[in-house]
Amino acid sequence: MQRWLTRVVLAAALGLPVPSQAQLRGEIAAAFAWQRADGNEAEFANHFNLEEGPFLERFRLDLARVFVGLDRCELELEGFGAEPSGRGRLRVDWDREWSLRLDYSRRESRFSSPSFDLGVRRDDWAITRFTGSLSYQGWKRAMLRLDARDVRRHGSVTFPFLGLGTQYVAQRELDERLQEVGFSLATRDLPVAIVVQQDFAHLTRRNRGSVGNDGRPAVGVDPDVLAVFTTPGEDSSNVPTSRLSAVYHSERLDVVGRALHRRDRLSSSREDEDSYDIGGGPGRAGFVDRLVGSADLETTLADLVLAVKVVDSLRVRLAGRWQDSATDAALIGERILRLSGPTGSIDLPLDATDLGHVALTDGEAAVAVEWTGGPFGVSVRYHDGWRKAGWKRGEEYLEQRVKRDSSGLSAVAFVSLGRTFSAQLGWDDSDFSRFIFRTEPGTVKRHWARAVLRPQEKLELAVSVTREREDNPAIVSDLDARHDSWGVSGSYTGDSGVFATVAVEAFTLASRVDTFFFAPQPTRGESLYDSHLVAVSIRAGVPLRQHLRFMAGGVRVKDSGDSLPFTLDQWDARLELRDAAPVDLALFLARWRHVVARGEALDYDVNRFGVTVGGRF
Amino acid sequence: MHTPLALALLALLPATGLATLPEGWVGVRTCAGCHDETVTAFAAGTHGRAMSQRGQPLPEHACESCHGPGGEHASDPAQANIRAGKGASHAEASLGCLTCHAAQHGGLLAQSPGHRRTGVTCLDCHVSGHSPAPAEPLLARTRAETCTPCHRSQAAQFNLPFAHREGRVPFECMSCHSVHGGTTTGGRIEELGRAACVTCHTEKIGPFVFSHPPREVAGCQACHRPHGSPNPKLLKRINVTNLCLECHTTTPSSHNLASPSYRQCQTCHTAVHGSQRDPRLFLE
């Protein structure tokens, strides 16, 4: 079979008459997993969202010459069923001029937590994405491509909201969709590679609200009952985007330039209502928002990079970037207080006309000089930038306008002895003139080092260390943020599929910010976050016999910081039998164990094991 | 190791292509005389199919466009007489890639000097196409594992309780990062000029009639950690109210933070990313 296939492919490749027989290759592996969970299954779903049942481990189909002109058709599928995601890829090459690529993915997300959103939050939704491209490569100097994508989020979210004096619960059925098409023309085999692209996107949101928790408040007891929660409106946006990029590459000069212009025009039409039965009786008080909103966001972006090899040992890189985006928004309509009872109803409307805007302009210029001498080198980069931000979120808020300058210097010393050894030592120091938000740093200092040693081709050892400090003055928020990390790893890749990897990564994050709030008197406080994470991972694989292979690994993540001390273990093993029988077999098992130091409410211990049956054709 | 049929097929080929080859080049049929299985596998792979434009056979220059002139190697088949033969370094072998993929190299040089400083070459992430690749575009490892060997710190963050993960498998780095320096060409639809996050989270693209300015000004990472976090919703703090209060110092005096009702700001201000109807971000 293999030899026959070899001959046919060679004949086809060299342009000889092709046998009429279709060529077909592929593999399939279907699995079934059993799962046993102790403890908080919802928290396990938050983290991994795996279930018991069948799923497709992999499916690949490779067809060639099935029809005249069909050079290749490849289909890949995986996931679905008990897995929280599924994906498919289709690739078709037609007459070596046309290519079609279709990608599909679906990802399910579930979330609920007793400590989040008063314990009533429930997310159960999925994002499905179709992306596709059709390209024509029949021209010698250009390639034409048509892109399309369709992204949809559907499912439901249950959430608390501020109702009549307290938080009630509502549910929102999601119907959110983005549809986009675009075409691009890219030059080929020209001194300058140019891509011109025009896209058009249309977004819609038709989320439908309903009453949750039977109309009762999220916490506590309240005599008023949420009777109506409806959101019959629709938001939609039209977004044309134009892009241009050009790349020139030569032995001594690289130039990369890009430009983009995008306009997002939103139209929102709402008639949302939440109404309450007062004291559970026949009297009802409701709020109806009859509103039409619009927002116009315009974005313009350009960047340019020039990299010049002055001499073989000296390179200079100049970069500039500018981006401007501005949103102007308006709301017209009325908010109606509707009181009703057995004898009728009365509407008390209030004008809801409002305006808002957000504007942001960014600019940055940078120069970098890199010198190399033999295995050693040093790179120094200076950048200077500015940011202008302004916003007014409705008439009742003050307008904000802030300009923030920044500058920074960074240097990297490095040594590279080919693949045998490389090391880098880096230093960054950035300063900011003032603050748009009070948690932004005034200075950032970052030092880092990393080295990779390959004493032999099969063995690699690596070490890395990073130290980062952020602060700002006491008159702002007295920010003090410390990020430290280090890691060591070793990996061995031997013959016949033998491999082993051990890695330890540690992260420390300690952050303190002064706060000021009313409780109800003016009160000074501080927001603290303290995390000391260590992740130890090990993975290895070894062939036991000619057709038998064993792989196993695991990760232990432990946080001993004050904010949320926990331990999460993830272990798995797999035994594979391949090519020894008409079908391939694999046994797998995995274990997850989550332990939170403060209480057992979020702990779980989940075991999953299963079998995979597959084959190739 | 050649098959009789392959040799017979080669003998039948017209010789028109030879005239166009530069001096010292021998053409793909000469290469296939010894490396027929390699040529066959190459022709069936991504590179081979890309080179064979418009239904034409594998072009004469197919092998030598990466390996350099093969005349000397054909006379004396020593590995030293051919570029990027077995045992060649990745750096040497990658020179062949740049013959066609100059634009990617331009981007790498211009915008990702870190990759270049550390000696990352094309073949550290890609395979040449002589054998089936674990993933396209000719990646040496699966898409989720391509960056892991070097970026272990980021990889470790995907093992945190809340992470961008599909079951056990981390998201592909290329979903958000452009590894060739942001010069991805060929018409890929990308979210240039706004956060990569909205590629999937399209409901947060906006614009909003009433925006939460950090979203526009500082981006998603003002509140979220992109790879993984111990905290729900990939938040930077375990306590959401702390996250809010770090910026908001002008909370109204009616907000009695001693009361449980006021300890989770987002339970009233539910539209934290922006609202189409309420400047106080009460509801979407």
Side-chain angles (χ1 to χ4, degrees), chain A residues 425-429 444-450 464-471 480-487 506-509, chain B residues 153:
Chain A
L425 186 65
W427 166 80
D428 300 327
D429 193 341
V444 177
K445 296 183 189 302
R446 186 166 174 268
H447 308 95
W448 55 273
R450 64 177 70 119
S464 65
V465 183
T466 302
R467 180 181 187 274
E468 186 175 318
R469 296 288 180 269
E470 297 176 18
D471 63 19
D480 180 10
R482 298 157 185 255
H483 306 250
D484 296 316
S485 68
W486 60 265
F507 308 90
T508 301
L509 170 58
Chain B
S153 173

Side-chain angles (χ1 to χ4, degrees), chain B residues 123-163:
Chain B
L123 293 176
D124 287 319
C125 303
H126 298 275
V127 294
S128 56
H130 295 121
S131 55
E136 291 293 342
L138 286 177
L139 292 173
R141 290 170 287 275
T142 63
R143 294 174 72 86
E145 294 170 337
T146 294
C147 310
T148 306
C150 296
H151 298 277
R152 291 199 185 276
S153 173
Q154 286 77 7
Q157 293 169 43
F158 285 97
N159 288 315
L160 291 172
F162 294 90

Side-chain angles (χ1 to χ4, degrees), chain A residues 517-523, chain B residues 253 255-258:
Chain A
F517 52 89
F518 294 88
Q521 286 76 38
T523 305
Chain B
S253 56
H255 286 51
N256 182 359
L257 294 180

Side-chain angles (χ1 to χ4, degrees), chain A residues 296-375:
Chain A
D296 191 348
L297 164 62
E298 190 164 4
T299 304
T300 309
L301 178 151
D303 61 17
L304 181 68
V305 181
L306 284 86
V308 184
K309 189 195 289 184
V310 181
V311 293
D312 283 348
S313 60
L314 184 66
R315 294 165 196 265
V316 177
R317 195 161 59 93
L318 304 168
R321 185 175 193 278
W322 179 82
Q323 178 176 350
D324 180 78
S325 61
T327 306
D328 288 304
L331 186 75
I332 57 172
E334 55 188 10
R335 299 181 194 280
I336 301 167
L337 171 61
R338 178 172 294 164
L339 302 173
S340 59
T343 57
S345 68
I346 181 171
D347 283 358
L348 303 172
L350 284 172
D351 181 28
T353 303
D354 211 335
L355 296 170
H357 72 84
V358 182
L360 176 70
T361 309
D362 266 331
E364 186 186 69
V367 57
V369 179
E370 185 177 301
W371 171 84
T372 52

Side-chain angles (χ1 to χ4, degrees), chain A residues 80-217:
Chain A
F80 307 100
E83 295 277 303
S85 65
R87 67 172 65 234
R89 285 182 174 145
L90 175 67
R91 173 180 178 157
V92 179
D93 293 331
W94 187 269
D95 205 21
R96 312 207 178 207
E97 290 182 352
W98 294 93
S99 292
L100 175 70
R101 305 284 184 274
L102 291 176
D103 283 83
Y104 166 81
S105 70
R106 173 187 166 88
R107 179 171 180 259
E108 297 168 359
S109 181
R110 291 163 65 190
F111 176 77
S112 65
S113 174
S115 61
F116 198 88
D117 272 6
L118 305 173
V120 301
R121 175 85 182 201
R122 299 280 184 282
D123 285 14
D124 189 358
W125 46 262
I127 295 178
T128 55
R129 303 177 71 204
F130 283 99
T131 58
S133 71
L134 179 67
S135 59
Y136 177 71
Q137 303 181 54
W139 299 325
K140 192 175 180 184
R141 296 295 182 202
M143 182 179 79
L144 186 67
R145 182 165 153 164
L146 179 69
D147 288 284
R149 68 169 167 160
D150 185 309
V151 184
R152 188 170 176 219
R153 189 167 77 124
H154 52 94
S156 67
V157 175
T158 304
F159 61 99
F161 73 99
L162 180 60
L164 195 63
T166 188
Q167 287 109 334
Y168 286 84
V169 183
Q171 190 177 60
R172 188 178 287 124
E173 292 294 324
L174 304 177
D175 182 5
E176 299 169 339
R177 192 167 192 182
L178 176 148
Q179 295 164 290
E180 186 169 36
V181 294
F183 76 89
S184 65
L185 190 66
T187 62
R188 306 170 71 187
D189 300 329
L190 291 179
V192 181
I194 298 172
V195 180
V196 181
Q197 184 173 339
Q198 180 64 49
D199 301 329
F200 182 83
H202 180 64
L203 294 93
T204 55
R205 302 181 78 191
R206 297 188 190 94
N207 297 338
R208 297 291 175 255
S210 60
V211 173
N213 200 30
D214 296 325
R216 297 190 305 272

Side-chain angles (χ1 to χ4, degrees), chain A residues 266-497:
Chain A
L266 166 84
S267 169
S268 172
S269 175
R270 298 292 186 88
E271 191 165 342
D272 299 350
E273 178 182 355
D274 54 305
S275 294
Y276 306 82
D277 290 342
I278 305 299
R284 179 174 288 185
F287 305 91
V288 180
D289 289 353
R290 284 191 186 134
L291 304 167
V292 174
S294 63
D296 191 348
L297 164 62
E298 190 164 4
T299 304
T300 309
L301 178 151
D303 61 17
L304 181 68
V305 181
L306 284 86
V308 184
K309 189 195 289 184
V310 181
V311 293
D312 283 348
S313 60
L314 184 66
R315 294 165 196 265
V316 177
R317 195 161 59 93
L318 304 168
R321 185 175 193 278
W322 179 82
Q323 178 176 350
D324 180 78
S325 61
T327 306
D328 288 304
L331 186 75
I332 57 172
E334 55 188 10
R335 299 181 194 280
I336 301 167
L337 171 61
R338 178 172 294 164
L339 302 173
S340 59
T343 57
S345 68
I346 181 171
D347 283 358
L348 303 172
L350 284 172
D351 181 28
T353 303
D354 211 335
L355 296 170
H357 72 84
V358 182
L360 176 70
T361 309
D362 266 331
E364 186 186 69
V367 57
V369 179
E370 185 177 301
W371 171 84
T372 52
F376 302 100
V378 62
S379 173
V380 179
R381 179 179 185 270
Y382 175 78
H383 66 91
D384 192 79
W386 49 269
R387 166 172 286 182
K388 279 198 299 188
W391 66 85
K392 182 173 173 62
R393 199 182 70 234
E395 295 288 2
E396 68 179 272
Y397 291 90
L398 294 174
E399 178 155 11
Q400 306 286 326
R401 285 190 182 278
V402 188
K403 183 170 185 291
R404 184 184 201 217
D405 296 318
S406 65
S407 63
L409 192 64
S410 61
V412 183
F414 56 95
V415 56
S416 177
L417 304 174
R419 283 178 60 78
T420 306
F421 177 74
S422 68
Q424 299 177 79
L425 186 65
W427 166 80
D428 300 327
D429 193 341
S430 297
D431 290 292
F432 302 87
S433 64
R434 58 155 301 155
F435 313 93
I436 298 173
F437 304 111
R438 67 194 295 271
T439 52
E440 291 182 324
T443 63
V444 177
K445 296 183 189 302
R446 186 166 174 268
H447 308 95
W448 55 273
R450 64 177 70 119
V452 178
L453 174 67
R454 293 185 186 90
Q456 51 175 283
E457 189 59 32
K458 297 174 181 175
L459 185 64
E460 178 179 300
L461 305 170
V463 59
S464 65
V465 183
T466 302
R467 180 181 187 274
E468 186 175 318
R469 296 288 180 269
E470 297 176 18
D471 63 19
N472 71 20
I475 57 168
V476 182
S477 69
D478 206 13
L479 166 74
D480 180 10
R482 298 157 185 255
H483 306 250
D484 296 316
S485 68
W486 60 265
V488 293
S489 67
S491 62
Y492 173 81
T493 308
D495 299 327
S496 307

